Amino acid sequence: MFFTAAELTPIAKVGGLADVAGALPKALKKLGVDVRIAIPKYGIVDENKYPLIKVAENVSVPFEGKEETVTIYQTPLPGSDVPVYLIDHKKYLGDNGVYFEQDASSGGTDREAERFTFFARSSLSIFNAINWYPQIVHCQDWHAGMMPVILKILSAHDNNYSQIKTMLTIHNLEYQGWYSAQTIFNALGIDENSYPTLSEQRNGKISSLQQAILASDLLNTVSPTYAQEILTKEYGAGLESSLKKRKSDLIGILNGIDVEVFNPETDRSIIKNYSLTNIAGKSDCKADLQKICGLKPDPKIPILGIVSRLANQKGIDLIYNIADDLAKENVQFVLLGTGSPQLEKMMTEISTRYPDKMFAQIEFNAQLAQKIYAGSDIFLMPSRFEPCGLGQLISLRYGTIPIVRATGGLKDTITDYRTNPEKGNGFVFEKYETADFFQTLKEAIDLYSNDPKAWTNLIRTAMSFDPSWTAAAKQYLQLYKKLLN
Ligand code: ADP
């Protein structure tokens, strides 16, 4: 099985997509699947950290009317024996980090379209060179989404390709890769008549994700609730009709997290390790976080943490709206995130307004992220929509109680303590409204401050949640079997 993604933890991470690509293949390998990963060899890939072995060179890739050539490197996925192929092509894949644009949803530059169309095309060219044809190509999101489309085109002439089944996992419908259809036709050397669904255009642009949805043999998304939500206008991001056409081939499988990486018992990013049975170290982590953030070193003040991309989806505007009211409470607030310049500015602004209570670090920092997961008491994820969400799963694992909105994977993983004190592992609010969010937050703060026993029990319930990939990997295996039958 050939697993393709734009991001891969720890080699090239931007968000949760990287975590999935770094963990699901490992879990599949444990189930006996011959899984191999392909990603572009971006400029940011650190060759000192990941030993790259050249496995093929001068592999020919037809693109934009020319014969391009790529070199293929291989490295094991850290912590496993899953091979990762890195496709090296200076012009299309080698520059910069993963994405050229912050927000690829609204239609991007041709450069991004070329990068990922080239990635898809070249990924399909390497099988001969590595002497291995997969039975299944499993594509993640729109970046790899042109693969099923190109495979359909190639299959018409080449038997090696016609045997390969395709599966698409949708991690986030908002990012679709809207690009000039002509750029893509030119890149692939086809016209729109060569492939019927390429005629789905809007003002001369096509959504790479929509093409993938229409062309893949099987589809899934990353939580059962999101799989339902995206069939509606509210959550469908304009693709609800295409998705409805594929409804019988679309299911939701909840993501897991890599429980070896995200483990408070062994995590080397945090000052003191702890576990469900010996939780004392969590207060050291809290003291450490207060010190790092220049906050009052008081173990009794609850810390509200956030680690997030700063994107419209994530409910950052709700945080901004409650800042003044929050500052009146006996709490501390710690945020780590990067993304939209406007949201970055808003978060920096509230931290400057209340420097004793609020701290905002605008950067990507994997180590600080772990310190926040471990050192906070409460984790905020008031998302407008959330396909699965990993932040709430990581925070559960670190005994940090999530407050989430009832959407997508947040709804599928977090049970509200107020309505179900037995099984509750967090707090859930329904409406995307400031008042609803703040009321829920206040009730959580009240419980923390006034009922330490109940809070400790809540931590235990949270840490008992199994966020591993074990169950999900079995479900994926079922889908692969279905594809092959
Ligand atoms: P999304 O994929 O939409 O960004 P998820 O919750 O699924 O959201 O996954 C986000 C992942 O990225 C988590 O592992 C989170 O800890 C990490 N992350 C997000 N922003 C940062 C940051 N600024 N620094 C470090 N890690 C981050």
Side-chain angles (χ1 to χ4, degrees), residues 273-461:
N273 291 115
Y274 60 95
S275 65
L276 179 58
T277 48
N278 184 6
I279 220 161
K282 187 163 171 64
S283 34
D284 296 277
C285 295
K286 178 168 179 176
D288 183 44
L289 184 62
Q290 285 169 323
K291 195 168 138 204
I292 292 168
C293 304
L295 298 168
K296 191 172 162 197
D298 183 341
K300 291 218 165 76
I301 304 177
I303 302 185
L304 318 179
I306 298 193
V307 180
S308 180
R309 284 186 300 114
L310 299 183
N312 180 41
Q313 160 196 352
K314 299 289 179 181
I316 305 298
D317 51 334
L318 292 186
I319 309 270
Y320 183 77
N321 293 347
I322 64 165
D324 290 335
D325 288 327
L326 201 56
K328 293 182 194 130
E329 303 284 324
N330 189 28
V331 295
Q332 295 172 340
F333 171 81
V334 172
L335 171 134
L336 170 67
T338 57
S340 129
Q342 193 198 350
L343 295 172
E344 288 182 350
K345 217 169 117 205
M346 281 155 70
M347 291 299 101
T348 307
E349 191 217 296
I350 59 170
S351 71
T352 326
R353 207 186 304 162
Y354 302 107
D356 299 340
K357 295 197 149 183
M358 298 193 182
F359 173 89
Q361 186 82 11
I362 307 299
E363 62 168 343
F364 186 91
N365 183 334
Q367 197 189 16
L368 181 59
Q370 293 317 104
K371 288 181 184 291
I372 295 175
Y373 285 117
S376 305
D377 298 291
I378 291 171
F379 192 79
L380 304 180
M381 255 176 116
S383 303
R384 200 180 290 274
F385 68 92
E386 195 61 71
C388 175
L390 301 179
Q392 85 281 17
L393 298 179
I394 304 170
S395 68
L396 286 176
R397 180 110 173 113
Y398 283 78
T400 300
I401 305 307
I403 298 188
V404 306
R405 192 172 91 77
T407 183
L410 298 175
K411 190 172 172 179
D412 293 335
T413 53
I414 306 303
T415 305
D416 192 290
Y417 173 80
R418 294 167 298 179
T419 49
N420 192 342
E422 255 327 79
K423 294 204 174 129
N425 57 5
F427 292 81
V428 185
F429 66 98
E430 290 291 326
K431 294 200 195 101
Y432 192 82
E433 283 172 6
T434 306
D436 209 4
F437 174 42
F438 191 60
Q439 180 57 31
T440 305
L441 187 48
K442 266 181 77 154
E443 288 177 38
I445 295 168
D446 275 354
L447 187 77
Y448 174 90
S449 307
N450 301 323
D451 196 343
K453 215 168 151 199
W455 194 265
T456 306
N457 280 336
L458 187 51
I459 292 179
R460 289 193 203 291
T461 312

Side-chain angles (χ1 to χ4, degrees), residues 5 30 35 98 112 147 218 233 251 276 404 420 461 467 484:
K30 283 190 188 142
V35 48
V98 177
E112 196 97 71
M147 281 182 82
L218 215 52
K233 195 166 186 306
I251 72 154
L276 179 58
V404 306
N420 192 342
T461 312
L484 296 178

